[in-house]
């Protein structure tokens, strides 16, 4: 038995997606994708494509996708930060054990400035959290 395709396809873009309705029930038995909307997950906009009117099912499916997409992106954000911690650790090991003087000259100032900036923001944010807990 062939796998049934979903009724909707979301072509992801930076801040949302183009939404297509998938149709395989046609005489040629081809997959047809009809764009029905453009969504923006940053501001929650759902704009119908052209003069199209979106059905309740369309809107419900789009809103469900948007909520799931926001969760996926949030998980990716924290995963990226955990990777950054790993990169900092491997960078430290590289600096200590493998880096040549020329390589260190090429990256030291950029690394020091980035780490200083990160440290300043982290210290300020932690102080803000501690002050809120005190109140």
């Amino acid at each position: 038995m062939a796998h049934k395709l979903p009724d909707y396809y979301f072509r992801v873009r930076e801040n949302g997606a183009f939404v297509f309705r998938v149709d395989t029930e046609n005489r040629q038995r081809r997959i047809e994708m009809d764009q029905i909307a453009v969504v923006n997950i940053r501001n929650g906009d759902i704009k119908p494509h052209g003069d199209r009117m979106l059905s309740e099912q369309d809107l419900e499916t789009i809103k469900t996708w948007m909520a799931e997409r926001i969760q996926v992106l949030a998980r990716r954000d924290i995963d990226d930060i955990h990777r950054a911690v790993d990169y900092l650790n491997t960078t430290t090991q590289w600096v200590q054990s493998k880096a040549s003087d020329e390589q260190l000259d090429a990256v030291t100032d950029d690394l020091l400035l980035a780490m200083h900036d990160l440290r300043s923001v982290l210290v300020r944010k932690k102080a803000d959290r501690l002050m809120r807990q005190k109140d």
Side-chain angles (χ1 to χ4, degrees):
M1 176 178 255
H3 179 71
K4 183 177 177 344
L5 292 173
D7 294 330
Y8 297 89
Y9 171 72
F10 294 82
R11 183 192 302 153
V12 176
R13 60 191 192 125
E14 183 178 334
N15 60 348
F18 295 106
V19 184
F20 297 85
R21 189 174 295 120
V22 177
D23 178 22
T24 57
E25 302 296 324
N26 54 63
R27 294 193 315 163
Q28 295 84 17
R29 300 196 61 130
R30 293 183 182 155
I31 298 172
E32 293 182 8
M33 296 191 332
D34 183 26
Q35 184 177 353
I36 63 169
V38 177
V39 297
N40 184 320
I41 59 172
R42 289 189 185 146
N43 62 17
D45 280 352
I46 301 172
K47 294 181 182 176
H49 182 69
D51 295 331
R52 182 170 309 277
M53 296 292 294
L54 299 176
S55 70
E56 286 301 316
Q57 180 182 353
D58 293 339
L59 289 170
E60 183 177 318
T61 301
I62 291 168
K63 288 176 183 177
T64 299
W65 178 87
M66 290 172 75
E68 290 170 356
R69 183 70 180 164
I70 289 168
Q71 290 177 349
V72 165
L73 294 174
R75 284 191 307 269
R76 285 183 185 168
D77 279 348
I78 197 69
D79 191 48
D80 287 346
I81 300 307
H82 287 293
R83 272 196 205 95
V85 171
D86 288 347
Y87 279 125
L88 284 170
N89 287 320
T90 58
T91 300
T92 302
Q93 185 60 33
W94 172 80
V95 166
Q96 186 172 358
S97 63
K98 296 180 184 176
S100 69
D101 289 344
E102 294 79 23
Q103 290 171 319
L104 289 173
D105 285 342
V107 298
T108 296
D109 290 343
D110 290 338
L111 280 170
L112 287 172
L113 288 170
M115 290 185 316
H116 175 74
D117 185 30
L118 176 60
R119 184 183 183 284
S120 297
V121 171
L122 287 171
V123 167
R124 185 179 73 244
K125 291 286 196 171
K126 183 155 188 151
D128 290 347
R129 287 193 312 276
L130 290 172
M131 293 302 288
R132 282 195 307 265
Q133 287 175 359
K134 215 181 216 187
D135 293 339

